[in-house]
Structures are given as C-alpha cells and as structure tokens.
C-alpha cells in the first residue's frame, strides 16, 4: 500500500508527457492522434475533388468559375488537382527533414493549422479560377503530415514487423481520407460547390486539438515491451551470435 501511494504521488507531480512510465494508454492515444491527423489532412485536401469538373464549366453551376483562360475544360479539370498535388509533393520532401530538427508534433500541428487556414482562404478566393488555384497550391504546400507521421512511427518502434503494421494503418487512414473527402463533397452538393471546405476546416480544427492534447514526442515515451517486441529475425541473430561465442 505504501508503494502504491508513493506511485500515485509521483504520478501527480509529473507532466502529462512524463506519465507514460506508468500509463501504457498514453502511447496508444498518441498513435490515435497521429492517425487522425493524417486522415483529417487527406479529407481536407480531397474534399472538393468531385466538384472540379463542375467548377471549370461556366454553365454548369452558379458558383462555377466564369473563366478558366487560357485552359479549356479538360485542361482546367486536371490543372486544379495538379496545383494541390504539386504543393503536397514539395511539402513531403521538406516536412520529414524539418521535423527531425523541430520535432514531429510541432511540424504536424503546423501542417494541420496551415491547411485549415489554407482552406479558409480557398473559400474566399473561389470567385476566380486563378485565385483558387494559387490558394490550392499553398494549401497543398502545407499538407505534409503523412511523411512526418511515418517518421514518428519509426521513432517509436524498433521492431520492423510492428513498424510495417503501423505504417499500413497510417497509410490506410490516408486512403480512407481520400474516400471520405469525396463522399462529403457529394453529400453536400445542394449546399454549394465550395461549402464542403468549411467541413474540412472543422475537421482540421478538431485534428489540431487532438494532436495538441494527445500526441507525445517519441523522445518522451517509454515504450511498453508488449507494444515493441523484438523481431523473430533479431532473436535468431542473437541466438547465432551466442552460439558463435560459445
């Protein structure tokens, strides 16, 4: 009983990021936060994709762009998503390295909050094709949470098998976000072509809150053995090394 009371007093004096020594749920919630950040980032990026073809046809909808010069319908339809993908590609090549220096959590929060602001700007620049495309590019430039999330998994786990499993879950969240984003746009077709952006802003705000509250830097984690098992291949290697020593 005395030891138990001591542990309770010790926990009460620790910050939340230090309590993982006695609370294994902290790691699980941190992983949930990373997955949700990736999911939300992708939902927000894809939430208007089904509407692109309608946006670039001046006669299709009252909110369609009045002109897409110098592009014709087909070129403009592909140009809009290209601007976002180009920004995302640039971000993906930078955010991972940047997070090595600044930490995974600050960079993920920056991507989420920046993308949230970017979606808001996209909505207010929806009257012109080029204004929207420029905002779409910068929004994509801030959507680099996936590489950082994968780097976080590598920081947390040492087992290659567990890493592969966690990578699959994170990428699965990204793929799911692509589908959910499109579904939201379709369900909100009567509210307008650009109205889904506000849903994206709300999801990103929620993701920022979840990330800020639950994501813990890997350097502050004490990983439970049950969640970071040694690979079978590593066991075989250790057995072989012991045999050679004998």
């Amino acid at each position: 009983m005395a030891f138990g009371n001591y542990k309770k007093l010790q926990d009460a004096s620790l910050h939340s990021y230090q309590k993982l020594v006695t609370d294994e749920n902290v790691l699980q919630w941190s992983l949930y936060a990373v997955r949700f950040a990736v999911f939300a980032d992708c939902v927000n990026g894809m939430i208007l994709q089904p509407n692109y073809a309608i946006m670039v046809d001046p006669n299709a909808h009252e909110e369609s762009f009045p002109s897409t010069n110098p592009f014709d319908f087909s070129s403009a339809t592909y140009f809009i998503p290209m601007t976002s993908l180009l920004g995302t590609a640039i971000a993906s090549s930078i955010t991972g390295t940047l997070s090595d220096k600044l930490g995974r959590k600050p960079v993920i929060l920056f991507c989420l909050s920046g993308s949230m602001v970017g979606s808001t700007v996209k909505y207010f620049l929806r009257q012109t094709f080029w204004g929207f495309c420029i905002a779409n590019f910068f929004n994509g430039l801030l959507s680099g949470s996936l590489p950082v999330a994968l780097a976080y998994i590598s920081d947390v786990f040492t087992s290659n098998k567990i890493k592969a499993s966690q990578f699959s879950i994170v990428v699965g969240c990204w793929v799911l976000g692509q589908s959910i984003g499109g579904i939201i746009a379709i369900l909100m077709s009567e509210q307008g072509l650009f109205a889904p952006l506000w849903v994206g802003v709300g999801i990103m705000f929620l993701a920022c809150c979840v990330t800020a509250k639950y994501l813990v830097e890997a350097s502050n984690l004490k990983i439970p053995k049950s969640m970071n098992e040694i690979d079978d291949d590593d066991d075989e290697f250790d057995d072989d090394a012991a045999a050679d020593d004998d």
Side-chain angles (χ1 to χ4, degrees):
M1 289 295 294
F3 178 76
N5 292 333
Y6 170 76
K7 293 294 290 182
K8 290 180 181 180
L9 291 173
Q10 186 183 43
D11 287 348
S13 65
L14 294 175
H15 295 290
S16 59
Y17 67 83
Q18 295 175 311
K19 292 183 180 179
L20 191 63
V21 173
T22 57
D23 187 1
E24 296 185 4
N25 289 330
V26 173
L27 173 58
Q28 194 61 58
W29 278 103
S30 187
L31 293 173
Y32 289 152
V34 169
R35 296 166 190 169
F36 184 67
V38 169
F39 169 78
D41 199 6
C42 191
V43 168
N44 187 58
M46 298 293 175
I47 205 164
L48 291 184
Q49 192 166 14
N51 296 341
Y52 290 155
I54 305 175
M55 292 178 187
V56 299
D57 185 352
N59 301 317
H61 194 276
E62 62 182 1
E63 289 188 311
S64 298
F65 300 122
S67 173
T68 59
N69 289 330
F71 299 119
D72 58 15
F73 171 80
S74 179
S75 299
T77 302
Y78 286 101
F79 186 77
I80 294 178
M82 187 204 73
T83 58
S84 177
L85 292 174
L86 178 61
T88 302
I90 295 174
S92 298
S93 65
I94 297 174
T95 53
T97 303
L98 192 63
S99 68
D100 290 339
K101 299 179 180 179
L102 302 179
R104 311 303 183 194
K105 183 174 182 176
V107 174
I108 290 179
L109 280 172
F110 176 78
C111 290
L112 295 176
S113 57
S115 188
M116 179 176 64
V117 173
S119 291
T120 304
V121 174
K122 280 165 64 174
Y123 182 83
F124 289 107
L125 293 180
R126 69 190 186 281
Q127 291 86 0
T128 64
F129 172 74
W130 281 104
F132 181 84
C133 286
I134 292 172
N136 203 36
F137 168 75
F138 282 103
N139 192 33
L141 199 59
L142 296 168
S143 300
S145 62
L146 180 60
V148 185
L150 296 176
Y152 179 81
I153 298 299
S154 293
D155 293 341
V156 171
F157 297 104
T158 57
S159 167
N160 290 328
K161 290 183 179 179
I162 296 179
K163 281 184 183 180
S165 175
Q166 293 295 329
F167 285 160
S168 299
I169 295 173
V170 171
V171 174
C173 291
W174 180 265
V175 174
L176 180 62
Q178 291 180 328
S179 301
I180 298 298
I183 292 172
I184 291 173
I186 294 171
L187 293 177
M188 296 186 65
S189 58
E190 295 184 0
Q191 281 70 39
L193 296 179
F194 300 92
L197 284 172
W198 292 115
V199 176
V201 169
I203 293 174
M204 295 302 282
F205 177 76
L206 180 60
C208 285
C209 294
V210 171
T211 300
K213 181 174 177 60
Y214 292 107
L215 181 58
V216 181
E217 289 285 0
S219 58
N220 294 326
L221 291 172
K222 181 176 177 63
I223 312 301
K225 292 182 179 180
S226 60
M227 300 188 71
N228 205 7
E229 298 171 351
I230 300 175
D231 290 337
D232 293 338
D233 294 340
D234 294 338
D235 288 339
E236 293 176 1
F237 177 81
D238 292 340
D239 291 342
D240 293 341
D244 293 338
D245 292 340
D246 293 339

